[in-house]
Amino acid sequence: MIAVMVALPLLFAFLTALTVPLRMERYAKYSFLTGALSPWLIYPFLEKGSEVVGGWPKIGSIEVAFDAYNSLIILGEFILFSAVALYSIIYFKKEIKALVLLLLVHVGLLGAFISRDLFNFYIFMEIASVSSFALVGFSGGKEATRAAYKYLMLSLLASYFFVFSIGIIYLKTGYLNLELVSQAPPSKEIRAAVAVAFTSLLLKAGIFPLHLWLPDAHANAPSPVSALLSGAVVKAPAYGMVLLSLYLPPPENLRNALLVLAFSSMFFGVGAMLLERDIKRFLAYSTVSQMGYVLLGIATLNPLGALYYAFAHMLFKGGLFLSAGAMVDKAKTRELERLSYRGDPILMTSVLMLSLAISGIWPFVGSPAKAALLKGLPYGKELFYLAGLGTLASFTKLNYYLMKGEGKGYGFTVLPSLIMALATLLAGIWLGSSPKAVDAYLLLGGVVLFLLLRTSGALNAKLPRTEITPRDVNMGAALFALFLLLLLHLSQS
């Protein structure tokens, strides 16, 4: 029953592609929408637990699960993909290849989220990644093609090393099933394999400083694809890290290094957001910052906190990219100073709600998600709140610019972002968000910080924009190699 959730969109991906040779292209969008929404039919009837596909012995078969660790993230993927699907049937119109690729991303993500063995997790994560490479370059523009190439090369590098780590674990234990692997006695080879796997997944998740591919890929992708990439695709490697931390917990040295990386990513992303003038790059850097929060939960062995935040980030970041897409696609520019949501109260309300949600303000979903992370944080709460203050200042800047300019109506394209905004509100209430005095202080502090930075002229500095070249890939590969050596050293000490 659990695997059917993945099989249905795969079947409709095939049927959507089949409309081309059968010259039935006019039915493609109906097949696509059916494939996108069909997993909703399965979700209410799923029972918590695991099952082995085909009923074979667990040792050599495919185990899938639906439990406390993936039920929420699967629900977030359903909500986001449904909103992206609505936007896509307007955006891509007759581009049937794009619709098929989107369904394959859907398949890959759901397959990765239900997997309980390393190899099948890798296969499904790659299905999502390869489809994403193609979608990033779908517009055919020079920047988009180069961004897709950079994303492809660095992600493939990480994939090769991830497979290498799986091979070490298999050779040492004889298993790929995570539960069976966890029963093997600890050894230095397994610790080394875990370090290699974490380095690979950190790159794929876009964690600073291995994030070099992310701003270009997420900013140059078509609008609905950007929402899916930032909202859901980077969650597959993060979920892989959660699985590893559950079954093969990294040693303390490695966890401390991950904790430093998490805070570094949170602050680097905020700093870049405050200086960025391109709305899609602004949101892409926000993803670098927000993935730091998810890594914080992993580093502190708080998997549920990490998954709560991953779920929340799926909702508000997906919604923000869809909102930005509505403005960018109509104005044909990504320059923040030339965009506005004035004249469209639905879009304005959605962006304001999503901005409060990502800032962790009650009653939206970011509030209980941040509370879940704070419960497992042994120290560094001051840094946590400081990063939150930076996020609030950044989104105050976003709304400051969007409130200016000429009013426009964006029509049906604002519906997906409204759905996501309402989802952040309902999910916050459902997860037990409660009002806190600190929210008011942070909200006021974020506005004051933005005004101080703006008055001082600090926000007038511009991030350098250079053409994407093969040198970027070399730099990313060099950083990856350095981090690999560092984490390998920490895993053995």
Side-chain angles (χ1 to χ4, degrees), residues 71-81 311 314-315 420:
S71 55
L72 205 55
I73 203 165
I74 288 172
L75 177 62
E77 202 277 346
F78 281 2
I79 297 170
L80 175 57
F81 198 85
F311 166 71
M314 276 184 172
L315 301 184
M420 298 306 293

Side-chain angles (χ1 to χ4, degrees), residues 12 23 93 98 111 137 155 168 174 203 217 252-253 267 271 273 283 304 332 346 358 387 414 418 440 477-478:
F12 282 96
R23 297 186 177 181
K93 294 181 181 173
S155 186
I168 295 172
L203 188 149
E252 188 176 356
N253 280 351
F267 283 104
M273 288 160 67
L283 293 175
L304 287 178
K332 307 298 181 192
I346 293 178
I358 200 170
V414 303
L418 177 64

Side-chain angles (χ1 to χ4, degrees), residues 271 400 434:
Y400 169 80
S434 56

Side-chain angles (χ1 to χ4, degrees), residues 298-310:
I298 296 165
T300 54
L301 294 183
N302 179 12
L304 287 178
L307 292 168
Y308 266 49
Y309 206 83

